[in-house]
Amino acid sequence: MALTPETLPRHELNGLPVRVVDSDDAGRVGIEGRVVLETTNTLSVEVRENGTSRVLTVPKSGSVFEFAITDEAAGDEKSPGTTSKLADTQPGGDDSLTDCAGEGVAYVTVDGSRLLSRPARRTETKGDSPWQ
């Protein structure tokens, strides 16, 4: 199954650029980087600032995420690009989603509650998976 904005919740999220658009904890809004680990209830995001990197864990429940899907991540099938909801709200710097900006990038906003499950179970394509 191709990675498209419609199928994103059923795919592997590791490696995708992500930004926290909304959260129950206002301190988490604006966190952005690449997903380095996904568990049932959290996303671990590698954030790079001023040449250093650190990993922040963001709970899925109570958060809304914006993922950037590039042609490379989507494979051969190209999806039309969309405008980021936060495109001009963040000042310059080491901005993972800004680095992805351009033609062939789709920004997908997903409520974290739609991602609450074991990643391996959510990405199944056979059997009795409710995610198919």
Side-chain angles (χ1 to χ4, degrees):
M1 169 182 352
L3 178 58
T4 65
E6 294 79 24
T7 64
L8 178 97
R10 297 189 311 244
H11 279 275
E12 177 71 38
L13 301 178
N14 290 340
L16 289 179
V18 65
R19 178 181 292 153
V20 180
V21 178
D22 192 20
S23 177
D24 291 344
D25 180 353
R28 291 189 178 107
V29 174
I31 291 174
E32 64 182 275
R34 291 205 179 264
V35 177
V36 292
L37 178 67
E38 179 186 8
T39 66
T40 301
N41 297 309
T42 64
L43 289 181
S44 293
V45 179
E46 180 184 29
V47 177
R48 295 178 184 237
E49 296 171 342
N50 303 323
T52 62
S53 73
R54 60 192 173 124
V55 176
L56 301 174
T57 302
V58 180
K60 292 177 182 176
S61 181
S63 298
V64 177
F65 301 96
E66 182 179 62
F67 294 92
I69 302 176
T70 62
D71 290 341
E72 181 180 306
D76 293 336
E77 292 192 30
K78 297 190 184 228
S79 53
T82 58
T83 304
S84 169
K85 290 185 179 187
L86 299 178
D88 297 320
T89 62
Q90 299 292 328
D94 197 6
D95 189 339
S96 295
L97 291 185
T98 302
D99 291 344
C100 295
E103 189 174 324
V105 177
Y107 293 94
V108 182
T109 304
V110 179
D111 189 313
S113 63
R114 289 198 57 212
L115 303 172
L116 287 172
S117 72
R118 287 182 48 233
R121 180 81 168 140
R122 199 183 68 242
T123 59
E124 288 177 345
T125 57
K126 296 185 181 342
D128 63 349
S129 174
W131 294 96
Q132 294 181 25

